[in-house]
Amino acid sequence: MANLLYIPVERRLFDAAAADQIYDEMLTVLAPYHATVPAHNLGTPEEMGDYLTSVNQQDFAGIIFHNTSFTGAEFIEQIADRFPSTPILLVASREPSIGGWLRLNGGTGLISTANSLMRRQHAYSYVYGDPNEAAVQTAIKNFSQAVTLKAKLAKLKIGVVGTYPLGFAFAGVDEAALQETFGTKLLHYEVDTAFADATALPETDYQVELDYAQAHMRHLDPELPETIKYVKFVTLMHQWQQRDGFKALASRCWPDFFDKYAAAPGAVWSQLCDEGLPTAMECDIHGALAMYILQQMQSSDAPVYMGDISSFDTSDNTISVWHDYGPFAMANPKYGVETSVHPNRKMPVSPQFVLKPGRVTLLRVHVNAAGKYELVALSGAAQDAPAQFDGVSGRIKLDAPVAHVFDDIVSHGYEQHYALIYGDFAAEIKTLGALLQLPTHIYQEVAYDTSDRK
């Protein structure tokens, strides 16, 4: 969990007693977090300066700036000067009375503070309410998680094996822009070297992965040459991961796996994803990044899927997702995971299963026509439905109107690959987008606003 700096401010000519009570209530809310807090509300810029000086040797992933009562921009300007790149969550107290003395005026303080940060282009999110409100507590939780994830992204290394196949230019990346926006770096490997190194592995190296494969796929032939190739490649990727420290993987798959390695890649990526290494086929680097983001929102090693949005059905407001791989843990237990062949190449080893029912979130790290990043997220529920296609598929009932989603995806030129994980993480994605200062489009509500689209 990230280190947070809590900065509560007040103007003591307002209701200082009420503001101090709000401060006390906030300390209780912040107790579960790694938060550095002052002894009391800060009432003057000089008090603020002394407090910031006392903590200037510490490293904070995020700042919670709390207008317990109104203050002008002189407080937040001082913070922004000293922490020019640290994300800030703005919290402001509700007005406790109407019809008499304006006791706190926290809403005005919030507006003033946000205006100052906007003019500085300083990353922030906000919530209006008191510490005992669920919305405030949720906002603090989401902010803590988002700044923790932002810090992880700044240290993230993605392994990249080979290059994207013909016609998949969207899978590539401007490495300088990637690092500038997220802090993420790439580690490049040659795909032919990977094939050679995997082939050379002895049985003692890959036996654990073979046992894992047999435990998770029905009717797997452990002596089939393609099975051995599959678990050897899995083993090699873990060896490289342990040696080099990457936390997500994007790899070339077709045609090289079939033509050079004589095996299908589907089971390879399925097992890696199931074991907690987000893996994007077709060397989709932004797909791997989206998978990692969703994984970290759930848990540090959660299995995560990436699929094509393959079809839309307005009759029941569903989309179908598909790919030739996916983490075994996502399989509907009604059907399980069957050992199969690649749907097109008819080559072993590929899994056959359908996604289990449950709430899901889909995410795409999108690059727009100007080369700038955006986040695109969809919310819905995976249905208890039979397989939509051979391979790994699922039928997702969307929260937003599917016809509108389809229109937006095509008209805005979003990519076809979407990471998917179980759970509802729309609010977390929105918070992360604000802290990364990225346009964030979330198809969650039945009616949604597209007025900010360019």
Side-chain angles (χ1 to χ4, degrees):
M1 189 179 296
N3 287 329
L4 302 176
L5 176 61
Y6 176 55
I7 303 177
V9 296
E10 68 179 4
R11 181 160 288 179
R12 295 190 175 112
L13 292 178
F14 285 95
D15 191 340
D20 291 344
Q21 181 178 347
I22 290 169
Y23 161 84
D24 291 337
E25 293 170 354
M26 183 61 87
L27 293 191
T28 300
V29 174
L30 293 177
Y33 301 94
H34 297 301
T36 297
V37 303
H40 51 75
N41 278 330
L42 305 173
T44 68
E46 291 74 22
E47 288 181 23
M48 168 79 71
D50 289 341
Y51 177 54
L52 295 181
T53 298
S54 72
V55 300
N56 64 6
Q57 298 302 312
Q58 300 183 48
D59 184 25
F60 299 105
I63 296 170
I64 298 175
F65 181 82
H66 191 179
N67 273 111
T68 62
S69 72
F70 169 78
T71 60
E74 69 274 15
F75 285 86
I76 198 66
E77 288 170 353
Q78 193 174 160
I79 295 168
D81 285 341
R82 298 209 192 190
F83 299 93
S85 61
T86 304
I88 299 175
L89 172 65
L90 305 180
V91 184
S93 305
R94 293 191 186 279
E95 182 56 35
S97 66
I98 301 295
W101 178 30
L102 184 60
R103 294 170 58 191
L104 295 176
N105 203 21
T108 302
L110 174 63
I111 294 170
S112 172
T113 300
N115 173 264
S116 176
L117 292 178
M118 176 278 298
R119 288 186 288 106
R120 289 172 174 262
Q121 299 184 7
H122 193 117
Y124 72 93
S125 59
Y126 73 93
V127 61
Y128 180 57
D130 294 322
N132 59 359
E133 296 181 34
V136 172
Q137 296 169 16
T138 298
I140 291 171
K141 176 184 175 183
N142 289 346
F143 179 75
S144 177
Q145 292 175 339
V147 296
T148 299
L149 178 51
K150 184 176 183 292
K152 287 182 177 180
L153 291 172
K155 297 179 181 178
L156 174 64
K157 292 184 285 188
I158 298 176
V160 181
V161 182
T163 58
Y164 57 81
L166 183 66
F168 282 71
F170 72 85
V173 67
D174 179 335
E175 293 193 40
L178 177 73
Q179 188 167 352
E180 180 181 358
T181 304
F182 298 97
T184 300
K185 297 180 180 179
L186 306 181
L187 300 177
H188 291 276
Y189 306 89
E190 294 295 327
V191 67
D192 290 341
T193 302
F195 291 150
D197 289 359
T199 300
L201 289 177
E203 182 176 356
T204 52
D205 280 15
Y206 66 77
Q207 185 62 50
V208 170
E209 298 298 344
L210 180 59
D211 293 342
Y212 190 98
Q214 288 183 273
H216 289 83
M217 297 180 68
R218 292 201 299 255
H219 308 124
L220 179 69
D221 183 351
E223 298 181 359
L224 191 70
E226 290 86 351
T227 299
I228 302 304
K229 289 175 180 289
Y230 139 42
V231 295
K232 281 185 171 184
F233 205 93
V234 171
T235 302
L236 181 69
M237 292 301 100
H238 282 310
Q239 289 179 349
W240 285 2
Q241 178 190 17
Q242 185 174 12
R243 183 190 69 192
D244 298 336
F246 55 80
K247 299 293 185 181
L249 182 66
S251 179
R252 190 173 180 89
C253 47
W254 63 272
D256 302 67
F257 250 87
F258 304 103
D259 297 345
K260 294 181 178 181
Y261 196 55
V268 176
W269 311 139
S270 297
Q271 188 150 322
L272 289 171
C273 288
D274 200 66
E275 293 173 330
L277 178 63
T279 302
M281 290 181 72
E282 290 147 352
C283 217
D284 184 357
I285 294 166
H286 294 126
L289 178 60
M291 294 173 80
Y292 177 82
I293 289 171
L294 286 184
Q295 179 192 59
Q296 298 305 304
M297 287 180 174
Q298 188 179 98
S299 66
S300 61
D301 58 355
V304 59
Y305 171 75
M306 188 186 79
D308 297 327
I309 294 183
S310 298
S311 64
F312 299 77
D313 190 339
T314 56
S315 69
D316 60 358
N317 210 60
T318 61
I319 61 172
S320 290
V321 294
W322 172 89
H323 225 298
D324 60 332
Y325 76 111
F328 306 132
M330 288 189 177
N332 190 332
K334 182 187 297 186
Y335 307 105
V337 181
E338 290 285 346
T339 302
S340 187
V341 297
H342 186 272
N344 298 330
R345 293 288 193 121
K346 308 304 180 186
M347 183 180 289
V349 175
S350 278
Q352 169 74 29
F353 67 87
V354 61
L355 298 182
K356 64 186 179 182
R359 289 291 302 176
V360 296
T361 301
L362 293 87
L363 176 66
R364 180 68 204 178
V365 176
H366 168 63
V367 180
N368 64 26
K372 302 298 184 181
Y373 282 104
E374 302 179 11
L375 301 180
V376 182
L378 291 72
S379 293
Q383 304 297 286
D384 188 358
Q388 304 300 289
F389 313 102
D390 292 339
V392 178
S393 64
R395 194 171 183 89
I396 313 296
K397 187 176 185 66
L398 296 183
D399 294 341
V402 68
H404 294 178
V405 174
F406 176 75
D407 179 69
D408 260 23
I409 287 175
V410 178
S411 63
H412 289 94
Y414 298 150
E415 300 83 353
Q416 73 259 31
H417 285 170
Y418 285 76
L420 179 151
I421 204 163
Y422 283 82
D424 191 346
F425 297 100
E428 288 87 341
I429 292 169
K430 182 178 180 180
T431 301
L432 179 66
L435 300 189
L436 292 171
Q437 297 182 290
L438 301 180
T440 302
H441 314 298
I442 299 178
Y443 297 90
Q444 183 181 31
E445 304 298 335
V446 173
Y448 53 91
D449 180 22
T450 61
S451 60
D452 63 336
R453 310 294 170 76
K454 303 298 183 184

